[in-house]
Amino acid sequence: MTTTVVGFPRIGEHRELKRITEKYWKNNATQTELLEAATAIKEKHWDIQAQAGIDFVSAGDFSFFDNVLDTAYLLNIIPNRYRELDLDDLDQYFALARGYQEGEKSVKALPMKKWFNTNYHYIVPEINDTTQIKVTGNRLFDDVALATSKHANVKASIVGPFTLLKLARYIGTKQAADFAVDTIAAYREIFAKLNETSIAWLQIDEPALVFDLTDEDKAFFQDIYTQLLAQEHGFKVNIQTYFGDVRDIYSTLVALPVEGLGLDLLEGKYNRALIKELGFPNDKILFAGVVNGKNIWRNEYRKTVELIKSLPVENYILSTSCSLLHVPFTTANEPNLNPDLLQHLAFAVQKLTELKELDAILAGNGDTALEANEELFASVNHPFDANVHARIDQLTEADYHRQPSREERAKIQKAEFNLPELPTTTIGSFPQTADVRSNRAKFRKGEITRAEYDAFNREKIADIVKFQEEIGLDVLVHGEFERNDMVEYFGEHLAGFEFTKNAWVQSYGSRAVKPPIIWGDVSRKEAITVETSAYAQSLTDKWMKGMLTGPVTIFNWSFPREDITPEESVTQIALAIQDEVLDLEAHGIKIIQIDEAALREKLPLRKSDWFKEYLDWAVPAFRLVHSKVEPTTQIHTHMCYSEFNDIVKAIDDLDADVISFEASRSDLSLIEDLKANNFETEVGPGIYDIHSPRIPSKDELVDIINKILAKLPTEKVWINPDCGLKTRGDKEATESLENLVAATFEVRGKLNGIN
Ligand SMILES: Nc1nc2c(c(=O)[nH]1)N[C@@H](CNc1ccc(C(=O)N[C@@H](CCC(=O)N[C@@H](CCC(=O)N[C@@H](CCC(=O)O)C(=O)O)C(=O)O)C(=O)O)cc1)CN2
Ligand SMILES: [Zn+2]
């Protein structure tokens, strides 16, 4: 048997890629320095794989920003407004990803969306009627050439034509099928170019096959691949899927003239049944996704071996369930972690060893590894808290329902808050500038005291409150300067969570997160935000919005334990956050935002699973958090990057008073769905994209507000950016907000007949 991985993390063991890329963006590093750093990272990662004994090292999984964008770029899917900027290759690429603003030139970034059910985001390729799909890029071929010059056995990977065309956005009249001919020709050319190299395998990533597929999708897939595979190729081809099962297309897949099929046997549990019931051809190799690419727990060898042996498959390559992009680099950089927990962890590097050990065990010479692993699994010991369990046992239906109804509350709250029409607010965070980060870094290293750390943040809060008052925002925030991350920070104040020092996972572009680990039963150890919010409120006569992260998001953006159900974990977290909500209310905070940024993210990929597997417990968990507040307390929530067109009713069911969400990078199509579904919650559709450094003009914001008001009743609309401002610089944040307020004043004036 042999081994490989679907993909390896690419930001670098110490986030080297992030650091050099951000320097390059700030003109503090040259393009040569950036390219050299990238080469060093790729070479190091191939060496790590080879040294761990992995048989086929992975090329093509590196990216300066995102793999989907790389593929679009390779295939000339570059809208003209970016070409007109007249930039060099790499800067044009970054312009698509981040937008561009220089003198007169100003172009928005392409939209960014959640990559399936992960916290990774891809750039959505934009295709219009004049897009000419053909091979124009070189980066893939250069990477493959470099890999094959260093390693004998190389597997290259690329996003497949079906997934690319499925995920792209079509802004003209032509649709995916209209681009099939050119796309097939382009991939045939990729085949031809790769044929000149010595790669052993080409992995074509087709994760879009795990969605619900229509007959049309299936025919489209088959048509593309029948033509593509007719192209001569000396390498073997593996069609790789992940994040779910391929129930709609399995028979087609096993009949294709490819040498390999990559199936996720963990998240795609049903793939096991497909193989057992429908068989697996002896002339194909199963890339068996048995080492989890999403969780951080050690693999239980006995179970994996049983799984492999239970399948009627002749030929295997042992692999990961998906790319290791979604896990941190190595546990070796976590010397201070609770040793009881540490022994149960496997990050990317450790997962390579697991593949090798499993390979040995299956070959009959891994007894020592198997025994050690069995011993480890005999001793899992999650911290238990009887109080937490008792509290959950006592919950009744009433705990999940806030009184009175939202309609009643809206009247009470209009009188209570006396806000102007189209109230303006922000999503919570203000720029986490170098001074904010370095203050925290100093505190972490013990260079300053807790009091000094807090004093600095208080000054920041005072400044930002003053700024918001000056520019005329209506509902203020304290700026979230005290938070390293909206999930990690809450985890740090909750019992049951553990933290890493270096376990970074890429979220988008140069940005990464360090998800906390849920290891024991969860409860609130202490008040979390009360002092900060109360202090901020004391500085102003305007309303101060308290800012919390909701239970579903804390759960989804942590590494969850797997010995209890997600429902149980989320309920534990919900009760902890409920304590905080009531504490905030008791301390005079009357507007409380409970962020559920990640609610949409883990919505099952198949519609049939949406309610039973997820929404039926995720929505109640949110209600549990706020059900006990007074009618005069206004509950806000926030969601980002959400395509929730199909779950509008479920969002209303959260029973929040106000919701803000992302709507600006994409079109405003969601607003139509809100209207069509008689959405009841008051809404703040984000009017500009905070993930790009570009500053929106007042006129452009007036235009967007008017578009929103054309669809939604004025009394239900709030005006805000589409997410928190933490990733922005001070200048961008300040000017954008000034324009936001100015635009709102202008529209309000017009509404009231003043010009
Ligand atoms: N968990 C999570 N998921 C999310 C989001 C989110 O906010 N959180 N937002 C959406 C978009 N995704 C995002 C993901 C990351 C970041 C982000 O800003 N990440 C920061 C890190 C944030 C952080 O943890 N900061 C820490 C550590 C910062 C750091 O790097 N410190 C330096 C030292 C700095 C110094 O000495 O001055 C170091 O460790 O080397 C802190 O502030 O304390 C980054 O990549 O740069 C933003 C959005 C969706 N998913
Ligand atoms: Zn957000």
Side-chain angles (χ1 to χ4, degrees):
M1 226 173 279
T2 49
T3 50
T4 192
V5 297
V6 174
F8 202 70
R10 55 194 179 225
I11 52 173
E13 178 169 4
H14 302 289
R15 292 183 296 160
E16 297 87 333
L17 187 61
K18 168 204 177 59
R19 294 182 205 285
I20 185 76
T21 306
E22 289 182 352
K23 265 194 181 172
Y24 175 71
W25 289 339
K26 288 191 191 130
N27 288 321
N28 291 331
T30 63
Q31 197 170 113
T32 312
E33 286 170 313
L34 174 57
L35 296 174
E36 280 172 4
T39 302
I41 289 171
K42 289 177 232 179
E43 292 181 350
K44 173 173 162 180
H45 294 186
W46 292 326
D47 287 344
I48 288 175
Q49 291 169 54
Q51 277 156 21
I54 295 298
D55 298 294
F56 297 103
V57 303
S58 286
D61 52 353
F62 178 84
S63 178
F64 282 103
F65 203 97
D66 164 52
N67 285 118
V68 178
L69 177 61
D70 292 351
T71 309
Y73 206 76
L74 171 72
L75 297 179
N76 198 39
I77 305 176
I78 304 167
N80 278 333
R81 58 187 185 281
Y82 298 99
R83 294 182 199 275
E84 284 156 9
L85 295 171
D86 210 11
L87 301 169
D88 72 25
D89 183 67
L90 192 61
D91 288 344
Q92 179 175 271
Y93 169 88
F94 283 138
L96 274 88
R98 312 178 62 230
Y100 187 83
Q101 194 165 36
E102 195 68 61
E104 295 283 278
K105 297 179 184 173
S106 181
V107 184
K108 285 191 196 179
L110 287 176
M112 191 157 75
K113 269 195 192 152
K114 289 272 174 200
W115 178 240
F116 295 80
N117 50 8
T118 72
N119 192 4
Y120 176 74
H121 305 68
Y122 70 96
I123 299 290
V124 185
E126 179 184 296
I127 298 184
N128 66 32
D129 290 351
T130 61
T131 303
Q132 285 216 314
I133 298 184
K134 59 182 184 190
V135 179
T136 48
N138 270 324
R139 247 177 273 148
L140 172 71
F141 309 113
D142 293 347
D143 278 7
V144 168
L146 184 64
T148 50
S149 75
K150 308 257 170 191
H151 297 272
N153 297 322
V154 173
K155 175 215 74 180
S157 68
I158 181 168
V159 176
F162 179 75
T163 296
L164 182 76
L165 292 178
K166 278 304 271 187
L167 298 184
R169 178 164 163 247
Y170 300 85
I171 59 166
T173 54
K174 289 189 191 168
Q175 294 300 309
D178 301 312
F179 294 92
V181 172
D182 286 355
T183 304
I184 294 161
Y187 276 83
R188 286 177 73 131
E189 193 181 336
I190 295 174
F191 269 41
K193 289 204 172 185
L194 289 175
N195 222 19
E196 292 162 17
T197 73
S198 59
I199 57 166
W201 281 94
L202 175 63
Q203 166 188 315
I204 310 184
D205 284 19
E206 290 289 13
L209 294 177
V210 310
F211 285 129
D212 294 315
L213 302 177
T214 61
D215 288 344
E216 203 182 324
D217 290 329
K218 289 186 256 182
F220 188 48
F221 174 82
Q222 183 151 24
D223 181 43
I224 293 176
Y225 273 87
T226 310
Q227 296 188 52
L228 174 56
L229 294 165
Q231 171 74 29
E232 203 181 307
H233 50 284
F235 48 83
K236 298 189 180 111
V237 171
N238 164 32
I239 299 184
Q240 179 70 48
T241 64
Y242 35 84
F243 304 142
D245 65 72
V246 292
R247 68 183 80 164
D248 292 336
I249 195 119
Y250 184 76
S251 328
T252 306
L253 282 172
V254 288
L256 280 178
V258 287
E259 292 78 10
L261 199 56
L263 299 179
D264 177 342
L265 298 175
L266 304 175
E267 207 173 352
K269 264 199 179 46
Y270 194 68
N271 280 331
R272 305 176 189 183
L274 290 168
I275 296 172
K276 284 181 194 166
E277 280 160 30
L278 303 173
F280 191 87
N282 289 345
D283 64 349
K284 284 195 188 8
I285 295 178
L286 174 67
F287 283 71
V290 291
V291 167
N292 200 317
K294 276 185 171 176
N295 79 7
I296 46 155
W297 306 112
R298 294 286 320 261
N299 188 285
E300 193 169 359
Y301 292 164
R302 189 185 46 78
K303 281 197 182 155
T304 304
V305 170
E306 271 168 23
L307 165 62
I308 293 277
K309 288 190 171 160
S310 74
L311 300 176
V313 177
E314 196 113 313
N315 304 304
Y316 291 99
I317 289 184
L318 288 182
S319 186
T320 51
S321 62
C322 61
S323 171
L324 296 173
L325 177 71
H326 310 290
V327 293
F329 200 88
T330 178
T331 60
N333 297 328
E334 304 299 336
N336 300 329
L337 207 58
N338 166 2
D340 197 29
L341 166 62
L342 186 59
Q343 60 179 341
H344 293 290
L345 297 180
F347 296 171
V349 171
Q350 288 69 41
K351 284 172 192 276
L352 301 176
T353 307
E354 292 189 331
L355 283 165
K356 209 54 216 165
E357 290 187 347
L358 280 165
D359 192 31
I361 294 166
L362 284 158
N365 49 32
D367 285 355
T368 328
L370 182 61
E371 275 162 33
N373 186 269
E374 281 183 334
E375 213 170 290
L376 178 72
F377 274 86
S379 69
V380 192
N381 193 8
H382 296 278
F384 180 84
D385 183 342
N387 290 332
V388 171
H389 292 267
R391 199 169 161 194
I392 291 181
D393 289 344
Q394 282 155 20
L395 290 174
T396 67
E397 195 50 33
D399 288 298
Y400 294 90
H401 297 276
R402 184 175 174 197
Q403 302 295 350
S405 72
R406 178 163 39 212
E407 215 181 326
E408 288 296 307
R409 294 183 329 244
K411 285 181 214 146
I412 298 169
Q413 290 167 14
K414 286 257 185 257
E416 176 81 13
F417 296 114
N418 195 24
L419 292 166
E421 249 174 348
L422 304 176
T424 51
T425 191
T426 60
I427 308 304
S429 59
F430 269 76
Q432 288 262 334
T433 39
D435 56 336
V436 177
R437 293 257 155 95
S438 97
N439 182 48
R440 185 156 39 252
K442 279 188 211 148
F443 174 56
R444 235 181 359 240
K445 289 182 208 144
E447 291 167 18
I448 56 171
T449 62
R450 172 96 231 175
E452 286 169 311
Y453 175 71
D454 289 343
F456 174 92
N457 282 338
R458 283 192 166 224
E459 240 173 77
K460 290 298 275 193
I461 293 172
D463 288 349
I464 215 69
V465 169
K466 187 152 165 271
F467 165 74
Q468 294 172 86
E469 282 183 330
E470 276 168 7
I471 68 165
L473 280 157
D474 300 308
V475 172
L476 313 194
V477 297
H478 73 276
E480 301 181 21
F481 300 108
E482 75 287 3
R483 302 183 190 181
N484 42 11
D485 172 75
M486 60 187 287
V487 166
E488 200 180 5
Y489 176 77
F490 279 85
E492 283 168 2
H493 293 271
L494 298 173
F497 281 82
E498 299 277 346
F499 306 90
T500 57
K501 281 221 150 41
N502 293 294
W504 293 94
V505 178
Q506 186 177 16
S507 180
Y508 71 89
S510 70
R511 297 284 170 172
V513 295
K514 201 146 52 52
I517 300 170
I518 307 180
W519 175 236
D521 288 332
V522 175
S523 63
R524 192 180 76 142
K525 286 195 284 202
E526 63 220 359
I528 307 169
T529 63
V530 176
E531 210 184 301
T532 308
S533 285
Y535 166 68
Q537 180 67 82
S538 76
L539 299 172
T540 178
D541 293 332
K542 291 205 165 178
W543 300 108
M544 180 60 57
K545 182 161 67 164
M547 212 51 65
L548 304 176
T549 305
V552 184
T553 297
I554 292 181
F555 177 79
N556 285 348
W557 286 350
S558 299
F559 286 116
R561 52 195 277 201
E562 293 178 353
D563 61 310
I564 61 174
T565 62
E567 173 171 9
E568 196 174 345
S569 254
V570 167
T571 309
Q572 293 185 359
I573 302 168
L575 287 171
I577 303 299
Q578 183 193 67
D579 292 347
E580 183 71 9
V581 167
L582 296 175
D583 211 353
L584 275 176
E585 190 182 51
H587 284 83
I589 303 299
K590 308 200 69 151
I591 301 185
I592 301 174
Q593 179 171 309
I594 306 162
D595 291 326
E596 281 295 13
L599 185 97
R600 175 63 177 77
E601 173 180 309
K602 291 274 186 311
L603 188 70
L605 299 174
R606 290 185 186 275
K607 264 192 182 174
S608 52
D609 296 336
W610 279 4
F611 285 88
K612 199 168 47 36
E613 303 266 315
Y614 186 68
L615 292 172
D616 284 350
W617 52 261
V619 171
F622 184 86
R623 296 165 69 115
L624 179 58
V625 173
H626 70 88
S627 63
K628 290 189 157 57
V629 299
E630 297 294 324
T632 44
T633 296
Q634 189 170 63
I635 298 294
H636 290 221
T637 187
H638 163 74
M639 292 180 189
C640 34
Y641 294 123
S642 300
E643 271 207 322
F644 39 77
N645 298 4
D646 303 320
I647 56 164
V648 168
K649 288 277 185 225
I651 307 281
D652 244 351
D653 267 354
L654 295 171
D655 202 23
D657 298 303
V658 182
I659 180 171
S660 62
F661 54 76
E662 179 271 347
S664 60
R665 248 197 189 195
S666 331
D667 45 29
L668 289 163
S669 68
L670 177 54
I671 314 252
E672 308 257 0
D673 293 282
L674 298 183
K675 187 181 171 181
N677 284 287
N678 292 318
F679 193 62
E680 288 178 13
T681 318
E682 292 182 23
V683 283
I687 65 166
Y688 74 88
D689 170 22
I690 61 85
H691 293 93
S692 159
R694 180 182 173 278
I695 298 162
S697 70
K698 184 199 74 184
D699 289 348
E700 134 190 11
L701 295 176
V702 166
D703 191 46
I704 291 182
I705 298 173
N706 283 329
K707 282 190 179 135
I708 293 169
L709 294 182
K711 304 272 188 235
L712 298 175
T714 310
E715 66 276 10
K716 288 215 175 208
V717 175
W718 287 64
I719 303 296
N720 45 258
D722 72 348
C723 192
L725 302 166
K726 62 191 159 202
T727 58
R728 299 278 49 91
D730 276 333
K731 181 173 182 293
E732 301 140 30
T734 311
E735 290 179 23
S736 300
L737 287 179
E738 282 167 356
N739 291 349
L740 175 145
V741 175
T744 309
F745 280 173
E746 186 172 316
V747 176
R748 270 184 203 152
K750 291 233 168 75
L751 286 173
N752 297 316
I754 313 157
N755 259 312

